[in-house]
Amino acid sequence: MLNKGDSVSVLDEAINGVVQVVNGSDVTIETEDGFVMTFKVNELLKINNTSNLMDSIRRINIDEIKKEKEIPKPRSFVKERKDRGEGIVPEFDLHIEKLVKNKNGMSNYDILTLQSDTAKRHIEFAIKNRIPKIVFIHGVGEGILKAELDFMLGRYDNIDFKEADYQKYGQGATEVFIKQSAK
């Protein structure tokens, strides 16, 4: 398709030049600025010397270009069905960056203690205010905070917990269910 001496333009680049060597699907050109560059055949557009670039572009199949540039349709997801009694579930992010403005000077022990105390405060609040379900976002990391949460939650008689919905939170969250006793 391309031969030595053909004038070409590089697609998606503002580079024009003359073909020097054609080697299979690789084409070496000398640009108008005197640089030697190699491109694939499908990256180049032959320009007729008698016409301008716009005439060459008009001959390209417009539908083919539109199909290549078309934005893919968003994937559809199955919506999670919620029970009628289930309202908005409070989510608490236990990442240290969300709990304090500056963690400089805090040891790992201090960070874990703050995260654990925050989680305990939220659990006590949920029990007191009869909130049936909460979610703690702890992240994946090394699993130390998750293990601490599991230990703490296991000490409550009226609490069940499990990993939160993977599609919504990934692996870094725990869902806590608080069994309500009749008052």
Side-chain angles (χ1 to χ4, degrees):
M1 181 167 121
L2 294 176
N3 298 313
K4 183 176 179 179
D6 287 342
S7 294
V8 292
S9 179
V10 180
L11 294 174
D12 296 330
E13 298 283 341
I15 300 174
N16 294 329
V18 178
V19 174
Q20 299 297 312
V21 177
V22 178
N23 185 9
S25 65
D26 294 331
V27 178
T28 303
I29 66 168
E30 182 178 343
T31 67
E32 293 171 338
D33 299 325
F35 293 104
V36 177
M37 302 175 84
T38 303
F39 295 96
K40 297 288 183 189
V41 173
N42 60 358
E43 296 175 319
L44 299 173
L45 177 67
K46 184 176 179 180
I47 301 174
N48 294 333
N49 292 332
T50 59
S51 65
N52 65 19
L53 179 61
M54 290 309 293
D55 291 338
S56 297
I57 291 174
R58 285 188 190 105
R59 280 188 242 114
I60 298 173
N61 185 350
I62 302 291
D63 292 334
E64 193 174 306
I65 292 174
K66 283 182 182 177
K67 184 182 267 187
E68 286 179 13
K69 302 289 182 181
E70 186 176 291
I71 298 171
K73 294 179 182 173
R75 296 181 358 209
S76 63
F77 290 99
V78 177
K79 299 265 184 175
E80 182 181 333
R81 291 186 64 187
K82 294 186 177 182
D83 297 334
R84 290 183 191 155
E86 185 178 316
I88 296 173
V89 177
E91 298 172 353
F92 303 104
D93 195 336
L94 297 177
H95 287 93
I96 192 64
E97 298 83 21
K98 302 288 183 177
L99 300 179
V100 295
K101 288 183 181 180
N102 188 354
K103 68 175 184 171
N104 290 346
M106 292 181 75
S107 68
N108 289 342
Y109 175 79
D110 294 336
I111 292 171
L112 185 61
T113 302
L114 177 63
Q115 291 169 319
S116 299
D117 291 346
T118 303
K120 186 173 183 174
R121 209 171 47 248
H122 289 303
I123 291 167
E124 296 295 335
F125 180 83
I127 291 170
K128 180 180 175 188
N129 291 291
R130 302 179 65 76
I131 299 171
K133 179 177 161 185
I134 59 175
V135 174
F136 288 117
I137 301 169
H138 48 72
V140 179
E142 295 177 22
I144 295 169
L145 178 58
K146 181 179 181 348
E148 183 70 24
L149 264 178
D150 290 353
F151 176 75
M152 183 187 349
L153 294 171
R155 296 174 60 193
Y156 288 90
D157 293 333
N158 58 339
I159 287 183
D160 286 332
F161 60 96
K162 66 175 186 171
E163 282 196 25
D165 180 29
Y166 181 79
Q167 282 186 330
K168 187 170 183 182
Y169 300 103
Q171 291 180 324
T174 298
E175 208 168 21
V176 180
F177 303 94
I178 300 159
K179 300 174 196 168
Q180 303 296 330
S181 58
K183 277 193 172 180

